[in-house]
Coordinates of all heavy atoms in Angstrom, one line a residue:
A680 N -45.0 31.3 -7.0 CA -45.0 30.0 -7.5 C -45.9 29.9 -8.8 O -46.9 30.5 -8.8 CB -45.4 29.0 -6.4
A681 N -45.4 29.0 -9.7 CA -46.2 28.9 -10.9 C -47.5 28.0 -10.6 O -47.5 27.2 -9.7 CB -45.3 28.0 -11.9
P682 N -48.6 28.4 -11.2 CA -49.8 27.6 -11.0 C -49.5 26.1 -11.4 O -48.8 25.8 -12.3 CB -50.8 28.2 -11.9 CG -50.1 28.9 -13.0 CD -48.8 29.3 -12.3
R683 N -50.1 25.3 -10.6 CA -50.0 23.8 -10.8 C -50.7 23.4 -12.0 O -51.9 23.6 -12.1 CB -50.4 23.1 -9.6 CG -50.1 21.6 -9.7 CD -50.4 21.0 -8.3 NE -49.2 20.1 -8.2 CZ -48.6 19.9 -7.1 NH1 -48.7 20.5 -6.0 NH2 -47.6 19.0 -7.1
P684 N -50.1 22.8 -13.1 CA -50.8 22.5 -14.3 C -51.7 21.3 -13.9 O -51.5 20.6 -13.0 CB -49.7 22.1 -15.3 CG -48.4 21.9 -14.5 CD -48.6 22.6 -13.2
A685 N -52.7 21.1 -14.8 CA -53.6 20.0 -14.6 C -52.8 18.6 -14.9 O -51.7 18.7 -15.6 CB -54.8 20.0 -15.7
T686 N -53.1 17.6 -14.3 CA -52.4 16.4 -14.4 C -52.6 15.8 -15.8 O -53.8 15.4 -16.0 CB -52.7 15.3 -13.3 OG1 -52.6 16.0 -12.1 CG2 -51.9 14.1 -13.4
P687 N -51.6 15.7 -16.7 CA -51.7 15.1 -18.0 C -51.9 13.6 -17.9 O -51.4 13.0 -16.9 CB -50.4 15.4 -18.7 CG -49.7 16.4 -17.8 CD -50.2 16.2 -16.4
A688 N -52.5 13.0 -19.0 CA -52.7 11.6 -19.0 C -51.4 10.9 -18.9 O -50.5 11.3 -19.6 CB -53.5 11.2 -20.2
G689 N -51.3 9.9 -18.1 CA -50.0 9.0 -18.2 C -49.1 9.3 -17.2 O -48.2 8.5 -16.8
V690 N -49.2 10.4 -16.4 CA -48.2 10.7 -15.4 C -48.4 10.0 -14.2 O -49.6 9.6 -13.9 CB -48.0 12.3 -15.1 CG1 -47.7 13.1 -16.3 CG2 -49.3 12.8 -14.4
V691 N -47.5 9.7 -13.4 CA -47.6 8.9 -12.2 C -47.5 9.9 -11.0 O -46.5 10.6 -10.9 CB -46.5 7.9 -12.1 CG1 -46.6 7.1 -10.7 CG2 -46.5 6.9 -13.2
R692 N -48.6 9.9 -10.2 CA -48.6 10.9 -9.0 C -47.4 10.6 -8.2 O -47.1 9.4 -7.9 CB -49.9 10.7 -8.3 CG -51.1 11.3 -9.1 CD -52.3 11.4 -8.2 NE -53.4 12.0 -8.9 CZ -53.5 13.4 -9.1 NH1 -52.5 14.1 -8.6 NH2 -54.5 13.9 -9.8
G693 N -46.9 11.7 -7.7 CA -45.7 11.5 -6.7 C -44.3 11.4 -7.4 O -43.4 11.5 -6.7
E694 N -44.3 11.2 -8.6 CA -43.0 11.0 -9.3 C -42.6 12.5 -9.8 O -43.4 13.2 -10.4 CB -43.1 10.0 -10.5 CG -43.2 8.5 -10.0 CD -42.0 8.1 -9.3 OE1 -40.9 8.6 -9.6 OE2 -42.2 7.1 -8.5
P695 N -41.3 12.7 -9.9 CA -40.9 14.0 -10.4 C -40.8 14.0 -11.9 O -40.2 13.1 -12.6 CB -39.5 14.2 -9.8 CG -39.1 12.8 -9.5 CD -40.2 12.0 -9.2
Y696 N -41.3 15.1 -12.5 CA -41.2 15.3 -14.0 C -40.5 16.6 -14.3 O -40.6 17.5 -13.3 CB -42.6 15.3 -14.6 CG -43.2 13.9 -14.7 CD1 -43.8 13.5 -13.5 CD2 -43.2 13.1 -15.8 CE1 -44.4 12.1 -13.4 CE2 -43.8 11.9 -15.8 CZ -44.4 11.4 -14.7 OH -44.9 10.2 -14.6
V697 N -40.0 16.9 -15.4 CA -39.4 18.1 -15.8 C -40.1 18.5 -17.2 O -40.5 17.7 -17.9 CB -38.0 18.2 -16.0 CG1 -37.3 17.9 -14.7 CG2 -37.5 17.1 -17.0
L698 N -40.3 19.8 -17.4 CA -40.8 20.3 -18.6 C -39.6 20.4 -19.5 O -38.5 20.7 -19.1 CB -41.3 21.8 -18.5 CG -42.7 22.0 -17.7 CD1 -43.0 23.4 -17.7 CD2 -43.8 21.3 -18.5
G699 N -39.8 20.1 -20.9 CA -38.8 20.2 -21.8 C -38.1 21.6 -21.8 O -36.8 21.7 -21.9
S700 N -38.9 22.5 -21.6 CA -38.4 24.0 -21.6 C -37.5 24.2 -20.5 O -36.7 25.2 -20.6 CB -39.6 25.0 -21.7 OG -40.4 24.7 -20.6
D701 N -37.6 23.5 -19.4 CA -36.7 23.7 -18.2 C -35.3 23.1 -18.5 O -34.4 23.4 -17.7 CB -37.2 23.0 -17.0 CG -38.4 23.7 -16.4 OD1 -38.7 24.9 -16.8 OD2 -39.2 23.1 -15.6
L702 N -35.1 22.4 -19.6 CA -33.8 21.7 -19.8 C -32.9 22.5 -20.7 O -31.8 22.1 -21.1 CB -34.1 20.3 -20.4 CG -34.8 19.3 -19.5 CD1 -35.2 18.1 -20.3 CD2 -34.0 19.0 -18.3
V703 N -33.3 23.7 -21.1 CA -32.6 24.6 -22.0 C -31.2 24.7 -21.4 O -31.0 25.0 -20.2 CB -33.3 26.0 -22.1 CG1 -32.4 27.0 -22.8 CG2 -34.6 25.8 -23.0
G704 N -30.2 24.5 -22.2 CA -28.8 24.7 -21.8 C -28.1 23.3 -21.5 O -26.9 23.3 -21.6
V705 N -28.9 22.3 -21.3 CA -28.4 20.9 -21.1 C -28.9 20.0 -22.2 O -28.1 19.1 -22.6 CB -28.6 20.4 -19.7 CG1 -27.7 21.2 -18.7 CG2 -30.0 20.4 -19.3
V706 N -30.1 20.1 -22.4 CA -30.8 19.2 -23.4 C -31.7 20.0 -24.4 O -32.4 20.8 -23.9 CB -31.7 18.1 -22.8 CG1 -32.4 17.3 -23.7 CG2 -30.8 17.2 -21.8
N707 N -31.5 19.8 -25.7 CA -32.2 20.4 -26.7 C -33.5 19.6 -27.0 O -33.3 18.5 -27.5 CB -31.4 20.7 -28.0 CG -32.0 21.6 -28.9 OD1 -33.1 22.1 -28.7 ND2 -31.5 21.6 -30.2
V708 N -34.6 20.2 -26.7 CA -35.9 19.4 -27.0 C -36.6 20.0 -28.2 O -36.8 21.1 -28.2 CB -36.8 19.6 -25.7 CG1 -38.1 18.8 -25.9 CG2 -36.1 19.0 -24.5
T709 N -36.9 19.1 -29.2 CA -37.5 19.5 -30.4 C -38.7 18.7 -30.6 O -38.8 17.5 -30.4 CB -36.6 19.2 -31.6 OG1 -35.3 19.8 -31.4 CG2 -37.2 19.7 -32.9
S710 N -39.9 19.4 -30.8 CA -41.2 18.7 -31.1 C -41.1 18.3 -32.5 O -40.8 19.1 -33.4 CB -42.3 19.6 -30.8 OG -43.5 19.0 -31.3
L711 N -41.4 16.9 -32.7 CA -41.4 16.4 -34.1 C -42.9 16.3 -34.6 O -43.2 15.8 -35.6 CB -40.7 15.1 -34.1 CG -39.3 15.0 -33.6 CD1 -38.8 13.6 -33.6 CD2 -38.4 15.9 -34.5
G712 N -43.8 16.7 -33.7 CA -45.3 16.6 -34.1 C -45.8 15.1 -33.7 O -45.0 14.3 -33.4
S713 N -47.2 15.1 -33.7 CA -47.8 13.8 -33.4 C -47.3 13.2 -32.0 O -47.3 12.0 -31.9 CB -47.6 12.8 -34.5 OG -48.0 13.3 -35.8
G714 N -47.0 14.1 -31.0 CA -46.6 13.5 -29.7 C -45.2 13.0 -29.6 O -44.9 12.3 -28.6
K715 N -44.4 13.2 -30.7 CA -43.0 12.8 -30.6 C -42.1 14.0 -30.3 O -42.3 15.1 -30.8 CB -42.6 12.2 -32.0 CG -43.1 10.8 -32.3 CD -42.5 10.2 -33.5 CE -43.0 8.9 -33.8 NZ -42.6 7.8 -32.8
F716 N -41.0 13.8 -29.6 CA -40.0 14.7 -29.2 C -38.7 14.2 -29.3 O -38.4 12.9 -29.0 CB -40.2 15.2 -27.8 CG -41.5 16.1 -27.6 CD1 -42.8 15.4 -27.3 CD2 -41.5 17.4 -27.6 CE1 -43.9 16.0 -27.1 CE2 -42.8 18.1 -27.5 CZ -43.9 17.6 -27.2
R717 N -37.7 15.0 -29.7 CA -36.3 14.5 -29.8 C -35.6 15.3 -28.6 O -35.7 16.6 -28.7 CB -35.7 14.9 -31.1 CG -34.3 14.4 -31.1 CD -33.4 14.7 -32.4 NE -34.0 14.3 -33.5 CZ -34.5 15.1 -34.5 NH1 -34.3 16.4 -34.4 NH2 -35.0 14.7 -35.6
L718 N -34.9 14.6 -27.9 CA -34.1 15.2 -26.8 C -32.6 15.0 -27.2 O -32.3 13.8 -27.4 CB -34.2 14.6 -25.5 CG -35.7 14.9 -24.8 CD1 -36.8 14.1 -25.4 CD2 -35.6 14.7 -23.3
A719 N -31.8 16.0 -27.3 CA -30.4 15.9 -27.8 C -29.5 16.6 -26.8 O -29.9 17.7 -26.4 CB -30.2 16.4 -29.1
R720 N -28.4 16.0 -26.5 CA -27.4 16.7 -25.7 C -26.1 16.7 -26.5 O -25.9 15.9 -27.3 CB -27.2 16.0 -24.3 CG -26.8 14.6 -24.4 CD -26.4 14.1 -23.0 NE -25.0 14.5 -22.8 CZ -24.1 13.7 -22.3 NH1 -24.4 12.5 -21.8 NH2 -22.9 14.1 -22.1
S721 N -25.3 17.7 -26.2 CA -24.1 17.9 -26.9 C -23.2 16.5 -26.7 O -23.0 16.1 -25.7 CB -23.3 19.0 -26.2 OG -22.1 19.2 -26.9
G722 N -22.8 16.0 -27.9 CA -21.9 14.9 -27.9 C -22.6 13.5 -27.6 O -21.9 12.5 -27.5
G723 N -23.9 13.5 -27.5 CA -24.5 12.2 -27.2 C -25.6 11.9 -28.3 O -25.9 12.7 -29.2
D724 N -26.0 10.7 -28.4 CA -27.0 10.2 -29.3 C -28.3 10.9 -28.9 O -28.7 10.9 -27.8 CB -27.3 8.7 -29.3 CG -26.1 7.9 -30.0 OD1 -25.6 8.5 -30.9 OD2 -25.8 6.8 -29.5
P725 N -29.2 11.4 -30.0 CA -30.4 11.9 -29.6 C -31.4 10.8 -29.1 O -31.3 9.6 -29.5 CB -30.9 12.4 -31.0 CG -30.1 11.7 -32.0 CD -28.9 11.2 -31.4
L726 N -32.3 11.1 -28.1 CA -33.3 10.3 -27.7 C -34.7 10.8 -28.2 O -35.0 11.9 -28.1 CB -33.3 10.4 -26.1 CG -34.4 9.5 -25.4 CD1 -34.0 8.0 -25.5 CD2 -34.4 9.9 -23.9
T727 N -35.4 9.9 -29.0 CA -36.7 10.2 -29.5 C -37.7 9.5 -28.7 O -37.7 8.3 -28.6 CB -36.7 9.8 -31.0 OG1 -35.7 10.5 -31.7 CG2 -38.0 10.3 -31.6
V728 N -38.6 10.3 -28.1 CA -39.6 9.7 -27.3 C -41.0 10.1 -27.8 O -41.2 11.1 -28.6 CB -39.6 10.4 -25.8 CG1 -38.1 10.0 -25.3 CG2 -39.8 11.8 -25.8
T729 N -42.0 9.2 -27.5 CA -43.4 9.5 -27.8 C -44.2 9.6 -26.6 O -44.1 8.7 -25.7 CB -43.9 8.3 -28.8 OG1 -43.0 8.2 -29.9 CG2 -45.3 8.5 -29.2
V730 N -45.0 10.6 -26.5 CA -46.0 10.8 -25.3 C -46.8 9.5 -25.1 O -47.4 8.9 -26.1 CB -46.8 12.0 -25.6 CG1 -48.0 12.1 -24.6 CG2 -46.1 13.3 -25.6
G731 N -46.7 9.0 -24.0 CA -47.6 7.8 -23.6 C -46.8 6.5 -23.8 O -47.5 5.4 -23.6
Q732 N -45.7 6.6 -24.2 CA -45.0 5.2 -24.5 C -43.6 5.2 -23.8 O -42.8 6.1 -23.9 CB -44.7 5.1 -26.0 CG -46.0 5.0 -26.8 CD -45.7 4.8 -28.4 OE1 -44.6 4.5 -28.7 NE2 -46.8 4.9 -29.1
K733 N -43.4 4.0 -23.1 CA -42.1 3.8 -22.5 C -40.9 3.6 -23.4 O -39.8 4.0 -23.2 CB -42.2 2.7 -21.4 CG -42.8 3.1 -20.2 CD -42.7 2.0 -19.1 CE -43.3 2.4 -17.8 NZ -43.3 1.4 -16.8
P734 N -41.1 2.7 -24.5 CA -40.0 2.5 -25.4 C -39.6 3.8 -26.1 O -40.4 4.5 -26.5 CB -40.5 1.5 -26.4 CG -41.8 1.0 -25.9 CD -42.3 1.9 -24.9
A735 N -38.4 4.1 -26.2 CA -37.8 5.2 -26.9 C -36.6 4.9 -27.7 O -36.0 3.9 -27.4 CB -37.4 6.3 -25.9
Q736 N -36.3 5.7 -28.7 CA -35.2 5.3 -29.6 C -34.1 6.3 -29.2 O -34.1 7.4 -29.1 CB -35.6 5.7 -31.0 CG -34.5 5.2 -32.0 CD -34.9 5.4 -33.5 OE1 -36.2 5.6 -33.8 NE2 -34.0 5.3 -34.4
L737 N -32.9 5.6 -28.9 CA -31.6 6.2 -28.5 C -30.6 5.9 -29.6 O -30.2 4.7 -29.7 CB -31.2 5.8 -27.2 CG -29.9 6.4 -26.7 CD1 -30.0 8.0 -26.4 CD2 -29.4 5.8 -25.4
G738 N -30.3 6.9 -30.4 CA -29.4 6.6 -31.5 C -30.1 5.5 -32.4 O -31.2 5.7 -32.8
S739 N -29.4 4.4 -32.6 CA -29.9 3.4 -33.5 C -30.6 2.3 -32.7 O -31.1 1.3 -33.2 CB -28.8 2.8 -34.3 OG -27.8 2.3 -33.5
G740 N -30.6 2.4 -31.4 CA -31.2 1.4 -30.5 C -32.5 1.8 -29.8 O -32.9 2.9 -30.1
T741 N -32.9 1.0 -28.9 CA -34.2 1.2 -28.2 C -33.9 1.1 -26.7 O -33.1 0.3 -26.3 CB -35.2 0.3 -28.6 OG1 -35.5 0.3 -30.0 CG2 -36.6 0.6 -27.9
V742 N -34.4 2.0 -25.9 CA -34.3 1.9 -24.4 C -35.7 2.0 -24.0 O -36.7 2.5 -24.5 CB -33.4 3.1 -23.9 CG1 -32.1 3.1 -24.4 CG2 -34.0 4.5 -24.2
Q743 N -35.9 1.5 -22.7 CA -37.1 1.6 -22.0 C -37.0 2.8 -21.0 O -36.1 2.8 -20.1 CB -37.4 0.3 -21.2 CG -37.8 -0.9 -22.1 CD -39.2 -0.6 -22.6 OE1 -40.2 0.0 -22.0 NE2 -39.5 -1.2 -23.9
L744 N -38.0 3.7 -21.1 CA -38.0 4.7 -20.1 C -38.6 4.3 -18.8 O -39.4 3.4 -18.9 CB -38.8 5.9 -20.6 CG -38.2 6.6 -21.9 CD1 -39.2 7.6 -22.5 CD2 -36.9 7.3 -21.6
P745 N -38.4 4.8 -17.6 CA -38.9 4.3 -16.4 C -40.4 4.6 -16.2 O -41.2 3.9 -15.6 CB -38.0 5.0 -15.3 CG -37.5 6.2 -16.0 CD -37.3 5.8 -17.4
L746 N -40.8 5.8 -16.9 CA -42.2 6.2 -16.8 C -42.5 6.8 -18.2 O -41.6 7.2 -19.0 CB -42.3 7.3 -15.8 CG -42.0 6.9 -14.3 CD1 -41.9 8.1 -13.4 CD2 -43.1 6.0 -13.8
V747 N -43.7 7.0 -18.6 CA -44.0 7.4 -20.0 C -44.0 8.9 -19.9 O -44.3 9.5 -19.0 CB -45.5 7.0 -20.4 CG1 -45.5 5.4 -20.5 CG2 -46.6 7.5 -19.5
P748 N -43.5 9.5 -21.0 CA -43.5 11.0 -21.1 C -44.9 11.4 -21.4 O -45.7 10.6 -21.8 CB -42.7 11.2 -22.4 CG -42.0 10.0 -22.8 CD -42.8 8.8 -22.2
A749 N -45.3 12.6 -21.0 CA -46.6 13.2 -21.1 C -46.4 14.6 -21.8 O -45.3 15.1 -22.1 CB -47.3 13.4 -19.9
S750 N -47.5 15.1 -22.2 CA -47.5 16.5 -22.8 C -48.8 17.2 -22.3 O -49.9 16.5 -22.1 CB -47.6 16.4 -24.3 OG -47.7 17.7 -24.9
D751 N -48.7 18.6 -22.2 CA -49.9 19.3 -21.9 C -50.5 19.8 -23.2 O -51.4 20.8 -23.1 CB -49.6 20.4 -20.9 CG -48.6 21.4 -21.4 OD1 -48.2 21.3 -22.6 OD2 -48.2 22.3 -20.6
G752 N -50.1 19.4 -24.3 CA -50.5 19.8 -25.6 C -49.5 20.8 -26.3 O -49.5 20.9 -27.5
R753 N -48.6 21.4 -25.4 CA -47.6 22.2 -26.0 C -46.2 21.7 -25.6 O -45.2 21.8 -26.3 CB -47.7 23.7 -25.5 CG -48.9 24.5 -26.2 CD -48.9 25.9 -25.7 NE -48.5 25.8 -24.3 CZ -48.8 26.7 -23.4 NH1 -49.6 27.8 -23.8 NH2 -48.4 26.7 -22.1
N754 N -46.1 21.5 -24.2 CA -44.8 21.1 -23.6 C -44.6 19.6 -23.4 O -45.6 19.0 -23.1 CB -44.7 21.8 -22.2 CG -44.7 23.3 -22.4 OD1 -44.0 24.0 -23.1 ND2 -45.7 23.9 -21.7
L755 N -43.4 19.2 -23.6 CA -43.1 17.9 -23.2 C -42.9 17.8 -21.7 O -42.3 18.7 -21.0 CB -41.7 17.5 -23.8 CG -41.1 16.1 -23.3 CD1 -41.9 14.9 -23.7 CD2 -39.8 15.9 -23.9
I756 N -43.6 16.9 -21.0 CA -43.4 16.7 -19.6 C -42.8 15.3 -19.4 O -43.3 14.3 -19.7 CB -44.9 16.7 -18.9 CG1 -45.5 18.1 -19.3 CG2 -44.8 16.4 -17.5 CD1 -47.0 18.1 -18.9
F757 N -41.5 15.4 -19.1 CA -40.6 14.3 -19.2 C -40.2 13.7 -17.7 O -39.9 14.5 -16.9 CB -39.4 14.6 -19.9 CG -38.5 13.5 -20.4 CD1 -39.1 12.6 -21.4 CD2 -37.3 13.2 -19.7 CE1 -38.3 11.6 -21.7 CE2 -36.6 12.1 -20.1 CZ -37.0 11.3 -21.1
P758 N -40.3 12.4 -17.5 CA -39.9 12.0 -16.2 C -38.4 12.2 -15.9 O -37.6 12.0 -16.8 CB -40.2 10.4 -16.3 CG -40.3 10.1 -17.7 CD -40.6 11.3 -18.4
L759 N -38.2 12.8 -14.7 CA -36.8 13.1 -14.4 C -35.9 11.9 -14.5 O -34.8 12.1 -15.0 CB -36.8 13.7 -12.9 CG -35.5 14.2 -12.3 CD1 -34.9 15.3 -13.2 CD2 -35.6 14.5 -10.9
A760 N -36.4 10.8 -14.0 CA -35.5 9.6 -14.1 C -35.2 9.2 -15.6 O -34.2 8.5 -15.8 CB -36.2 8.5 -13.3
G761 N -36.0 9.6 -16.5 CA -35.7 9.3 -17.9 C -34.5 9.9 -18.5 O -33.9 9.5 -19.5
L762 N -34.1 11.0 -17.8 CA -32.9 11.7 -18.3 C -31.7 10.8 -18.2 O -30.6 11.1 -18.8 CB -32.6 13.0 -17.5 CG -33.7 14.0 -17.8 CD1 -33.6 15.2 -16.8 CD2 -33.7 14.6 -19.2
R763 N -31.7 9.8 -17.3 CA -30.5 8.9 -17.3 C -30.3 8.2 -18.7 O -29.1 7.9 -18.9 CB -30.8 7.8 -16.2 CG -30.6 8.4 -14.8 CD -30.7 7.2 -13.8 NE -30.7 7.7 -12.5 CZ -31.7 7.7 -11.7 NH1 -32.8 7.1 -12.0 NH2 -31.5 8.1 -10.4
A764 N -31.3 8.0 -19.5 CA -31.1 7.4 -20.8 C -30.2 8.3 -21.7 O -29.5 7.8 -22.6 CB -32.4 7.2 -21.5
L765 N -30.2 9.6 -21.4 CA -29.3 10.5 -22.1 C -27.9 10.6 -21.4 O -27.0 11.3 -21.9 CB -29.9 11.9 -22.2 CG -30.9 12.1 -23.3 CD1 -31.7 13.4 -22.9 CD2 -30.4 12.1 -24.6
G766 N -27.7 9.8 -20.3 CA -26.4 10.0 -19.6 C -26.4 11.1 -18.7 O -25.3 11.5 -18.3
C767 N -27.5 11.7 -18.4 CA -27.5 12.8 -17.5 C -27.6 12.4 -16.1 O -28.1 11.2 -15.8 CB -28.7 13.8 -17.8 SG -28.7 14.4 -19.4
T768 N -27.2 13.1 -15.1 CA -27.3 12.7 -13.7 C -28.0 13.9 -13.0 O -28.2 15.0 -13.7 CB -25.9 12.7 -13.0 OG1 -25.2 13.9 -13.1 CG2 -25.1 11.6 -13.6
F769 N -28.6 13.7 -11.8 CA -29.3 14.8 -11.2 C -29.1 14.6 -9.7 O -28.9 13.5 -9.2 CB -30.8 14.8 -11.4 CG -31.5 13.4 -11.7 CD1 -32.1 12.8 -10.6 CD2 -31.4 12.9 -13.0 CE1 -32.6 11.5 -10.8 CE2 -32.1 11.6 -13.1 CZ -32.7 11.0 -12.1
T770 N -28.9 15.8 -9.1 CA -28.6 15.9 -7.7 C -29.7 16.8 -7.0 O -29.8 17.9 -7.4 CB -27.2 16.6 -7.5 OG1 -26.3 15.9 -8.4 CG2 -26.8 16.5 -6.0
P771 N -30.4 16.2 -6.2 CA -31.4 16.9 -5.3 C -30.7 18.0 -4.6 O -29.6 17.9 -4.0 CB -32.0 15.9 -4.3 CG -31.6 14.6 -4.9 CD -30.4 14.7 -5.6
A772 N -31.3 19.2 -4.5 CA -30.9 20.4 -3.7 C -32.0 21.0 -3.1 O -32.7 22.0 -3.7 CB -30.1 21.3 -4.6
G773 N -32.5 20.5 -2.0 CA -33.7 21.0 -1.4 C -35.0 20.6 -2.4 O -35.0 19.5 -2.7
S774 N -35.7 21.6 -2.7 CA -36.9 21.4 -3.5 C -36.5 21.4 -5.0 O -37.3 21.1 -5.9 CB -38.0 22.3 -3.2 OG -37.7 23.6 -3.5
N775 N -35.3 21.8 -5.2 CA -34.8 21.9 -6.6 C -33.9 20.7 -6.9 O -33.5 19.9 -6.0 CB -34.0 23.1 -6.9 CG -34.8 24.4 -6.8 OD1 -36.0 24.3 -7.2 ND2 -34.3 25.5 -6.5
V776 N -33.5 20.6 -8.2 CA -32.6 19.5 -8.6 C -31.7 20.1 -9.6 O -32.0 20.9 -10.4 CB -33.5 18.4 -9.4 CG1 -32.5 17.4 -10.0 CG2 -34.3 17.7 -8.3
T777 N -30.4 19.7 -9.5 CA -29.4 20.1 -10.5 C -29.3 19.0 -11.5 O -28.9 17.8 -11.0 CB -28.0 20.3 -9.8 OG1 -28.1 21.4 -8.9 CG2 -27.0 20.7 -10.8
V778 N -29.5 19.2 -12.7 CA -29.4 18.2 -13.8 C -28.2 18.5 -14.5 O -27.9 19.6 -15.0 CB -30.6 18.3 -14.7 CG1 -30.4 17.3 -16.0 CG2 -31.9 18.0 -14.0
A779 N -27.2 17.5 -14.6 CA -26.0 17.6 -15.3 C -25.9 16.6 -16.5 O -26.2 15.4 -16.4 CB -24.8 17.3 -14.4
C780 N -25.6 17.1 -17.7 CA -25.4 16.4 -19.0 C -24.2 16.7 -19.5 O -24.0 17.8 -20.1 CB -26.7 16.7 -19.9 SG -28.3 16.3 -19.2
G781 N -23.2 15.8 -19.3 CA -21.8 16.1 -19.8 C -21.3 17.3 -18.9 O -21.5 17.4 -17.7
A782 N -20.8 18.4 -19.6 CA -20.1 19.5 -18.9 C -21.2 20.5 -18.5 O -21.0 21.5 -17.8 CB -19.1 20.2 -19.8
A783 N -22.4 20.4 -19.1 CA -23.4 21.5 -18.9 C -24.4 21.0 -17.7 O -24.6 19.8 -17.6 CB -24.3 21.7 -20.1
S784 N -24.8 21.9 -16.9 CA -25.8 21.6 -15.9 C -26.8 22.8 -15.7 O -26.6 23.9 -16.0 CB -25.1 21.3 -14.5 OG -24.5 22.4 -14.1
V785 N -28.0 22.4 -15.1 CA -29.0 23.4 -14.9 C -29.7 23.1 -13.6 O -29.9 21.9 -13.3 CB -29.9 23.5 -16.1 CG1 -30.7 22.2 -16.3 CG2 -30.9 24.7 -15.9
G786 N -30.1 24.1 -12.9 CA -30.9 23.8 -11.7 C -32.3 24.0 -12.1 O -32.7 25.1 -12.8
L787 N -33.2 23.2 -11.6 CA -34.6 23.3 -11.9 C -35.4 22.8 -10.8 O -35.0 22.0 -10.0 CB -35.0 22.7 -13.2 CG -34.5 21.2 -13.5 CD1 -35.6 20.3 -12.9 CD2 -34.5 21.0 -15.1
R788 N -36.7 23.1 -10.8 CA -37.7 22.6 -9.9 C -38.5 21.6 -10.6 O -39.3 21.9 -11.4 CB -38.5 23.7 -9.3 CG -39.5 23.2 -8.2 CD -40.3 24.3 -7.7 NE -39.6 25.4 -7.0 CZ -39.5 25.4 -5.6 NH1 -40.2 24.4 -4.9 NH2 -38.8 26.2 -4.9
P789 N -38.4 20.3 -10.2 CA -39.3 19.3 -10.9 C -40.7 19.5 -10.5 O -41.1 20.0 -9.5 CB -38.8 17.9 -10.3 CG -37.7 18.2 -9.3 CD -37.6 19.7 -9.2
I790 N -41.6 19.0 -11.4 CA -43.1 19.1 -11.1 C -43.5 17.6 -10.6 O -43.1 16.7 -11.2 CB -43.9 19.3 -12.4 CG1 -43.3 20.5 -13.2 CG2 -45.4 19.3 -12.3 CD1 -43.7 20.7 -14.6
V791 N -44.1 17.7 -9.4 CA -44.7 16.4 -8.9 C -46.2 16.6 -9.0 O -46.7 17.5 -8.2 CB -44.1 16.2 -7.5 CG1 -44.7 14.9 -7.0 CG2 -42.6 16.1 -7.5
F792 N -46.9 15.8 -9.7 CA -48.4 15.9 -9.8 C -49.0 15.2 -8.6 O -48.4 14.3 -8.0 CB -48.9 15.3 -11.1 CG -48.4 16.1 -12.3 CD1 -47.2 15.8 -12.9 CD2 -49.1 17.2 -12.7 CE1 -46.8 16.5 -14.0 CE2 -48.7 17.9 -13.8 CZ -47.6 17.6 -14.5

């Protein structure tokens, strides 16, 4: 098992989060610098998020994320429920979750701090 990372500022204990790098294949995560990240899925509007802030930009509008995104300094640590803003769905499968965005899906293990 991977070592448990230190709890970043802003995360809510007991809530599932995913690393941006775990979403490869379903969501393209790009660091824009200064704590901003762009999450893009094929055929959908990109979601631009800022570490520590619930409001996020989706295409030309704004959405409220359920929890604030965080970062460990390198990786985006994104609330699993926030993927709904991109139109993604997730299905629990034991301790793993299958995340589906359009035709693409990936199985991953969420991080719970």
Side-chain angles (χ1 to χ4, degrees):
R683 184 168 222 138
T686 303
V690 301
V691 176
R692 289 191 173 280
E694 291 291 335
Y696 290 81
V697 294
L698 288 175
S700 57
D701 288 345
L702 297 172
V703 169
V705 290
V706 176
N707 186 11
V708 179
T709 307
S710 174
L711 303 176
S713 304
K715 285 189 180 295
F716 292 86
R717 181 186 307 115
L718 291 77
R720 60 169 276 221
S721 178
D724 284 330
L726 180 69
T727 303
V728 302
T729 303
V730 169
Q732 296 182 16
K733 281 187 180 181
Q736 188 173 350
L737 180 64
S739 60
T741 303
V742 295
Q743 285 288 330
L744 297 172
L746 300 164
V747 299
S750 176
D751 62 6
R753 287 182 324 205
N754 300 300
L755 173 65
I756 301 171
F757 195 70
L759 182 63
L762 292 172
R763 287 192 181 108
L765 282 167
C767 301
T768 59
F769 36 92
T770 309
S774 59
N775 291 335
V776 172
T777 299
V778 176
C780 302
S784 67
V785 66
L787 53 85
R788 180 183 292 262
I790 304 166
V791 179
F792 293 96

